Amino acid sequence: MDFTPLFRKVSEASRSLLTLDGDIINKALSILAENLIAGSASIINENEKDLERMEREDPRWDRLLLTPERIGSIAEEIRSVALMKDPAGRLLSEIKRPNGLLISRKTVPFGVIGVIFEARPNVVIDVFALCLKSRNGCILKGGSDARDSNRILVNIIISALEKAGMDFNVVALLPPGRSETSQMLKARDYIDLIIPRGSRGLIDWVRENSSIPVIETGAGIC
């Protein structure tokens, strides 16, 4: 399947974030936090489907597990992001040249950020909240181990965006699979930055195969 139309939609939608009032972004984040708490039972039900496919002894099992307490912590983190100052459009420095030319340095969004991660469904919410607050669109690519959890979390995000009156195309979730990842890493016309989160093997593979700039977060505890 060709995901170019999906990439294009996110790229086009991300431009709407540039002029969006910060209060609307914070409203969407607040709604998302409320939706997560209200939808805890449904989230846990989908999460159990993922857990059933994994051996309990697998070290990834606990990373995959979502509980009411963990969902509550994720919601609190979203509220914390909403309280942060708008990171975009900040004036960092300004100088006036002898000829009268005024040169300023400001923070601007990247545009669209593609994030590749493994069996941690909380990353879906973490990444989206930070991308939205910084006015970036995001394309998420999670591992197959968390496919049901990731899917319901993105649906809850989309619902929050719609309730806030925003374009829900600022976020997209790719199906799990190597071919989808390969398309993502070559979509340089629509994606501006790639961030891999996971093992050293994942990070190395992304760096070696991406035609888009990559930020390495580091492997393991960092």
Side-chain angles (χ1 to χ4, degrees):
M1 180 177 177
D2 182 7
F3 287 97
T4 300
L6 176 67
F7 300 149
R8 185 184 297 114
K9 278 186 179 181
V10 178
S11 179
E12 291 172 352
S14 70
R15 295 168 195 157
S16 68
L17 297 174
L18 297 173
T19 57
L20 197 65
D21 190 286
D23 289 341
I24 297 177
I25 289 176
N26 294 334
K27 178 183 177 181
L29 291 172
S30 296
I31 293 172
L32 175 57
E34 294 168 2
N35 285 0
L36 284 172
I37 299 299
S40 290
S42 298
I43 294 169
I44 290 171
N45 184 59
E46 294 301 305
N47 182 241
E48 286 174 351
K49 295 178 184 178
D50 292 327
L51 293 169
E52 288 171 1
R53 295 192 298 270
M54 185 180 290
E55 295 294 331
R56 180 98 185 220
E57 295 74 24
D58 192 312
R60 295 173 298 171
W61 194 90
D62 185 64
R63 302 174 201 165
L64 179 59
L65 175 66
L66 290 174
T67 65
E69 293 75 21
R70 289 185 176 185
I71 294 172
S73 295
I74 294 169
E76 283 305 309
E77 290 171 2
I78 296 170
R79 294 187 179 104
S80 296
V81 172
L83 292 174
M84 293 178 180
K85 291 183 179 179
D86 193 335
R90 291 171 50 210
L91 180 64
L92 301 178
S93 64
E94 190 174 68
I95 59 171
K96 191 171 186 178
R97 303 298 297 167
N99 64 357
L101 177 66
L102 187 66
I103 302 174
S104 60
R105 183 181 176 196
K106 293 183 178 181
T107 57
V108 296
F110 285 103
V112 176
I113 300 176
V115 182
I116 303 168
F117 55 98
E118 295 174 335
R120 287 186 182 272
N122 63 293
V123 173
V124 169
I125 303 297
D126 292 344
V127 166
F128 167 75
L130 292 172
C131 283
L132 184 65
K133 185 68 178 184
S134 56
R135 300 172 184 269
N136 290 288
C138 64
I139 298 174
L140 305 167
K141 176 63 179 61
S144 59
D145 293 328
R147 64 174 181 261
D148 291 302
S149 304
N150 293 345
R151 190 181 300 118
I152 190 170
L153 290 173
V154 169
N155 287 340
I156 289 173
I157 288 171
I158 289 172
S159 175
L161 290 169
E162 290 179 323
K163 287 181 181 178
M166 294 177 59
D167 188 342
F168 64 84
N169 288 304
V170 296
V171 62
L173 175 68
L174 286 181
R178 183 62 66 92
S179 63
E180 289 83 358
T181 307
S182 296
Q183 286 191 52
M184 183 179 184
L185 298 181
K186 304 302 180 186
R188 59 187 303 163
D189 290 336
Y190 308 106
I191 302 175
D192 302 283
L193 180 68
I194 296 288
I195 301 178
R197 288 187 54 171
S199 65
R200 171 52 59 189
L202 170 67
I203 293 170
D204 288 345
W205 187 84
V206 169
R207 185 183 62 249
E208 291 164 5
N209 290 276
S210 179
S211 61
I212 301 168
V214 176
I215 290 181
E216 297 184 36
T217 58
I221 299 173
C222 57

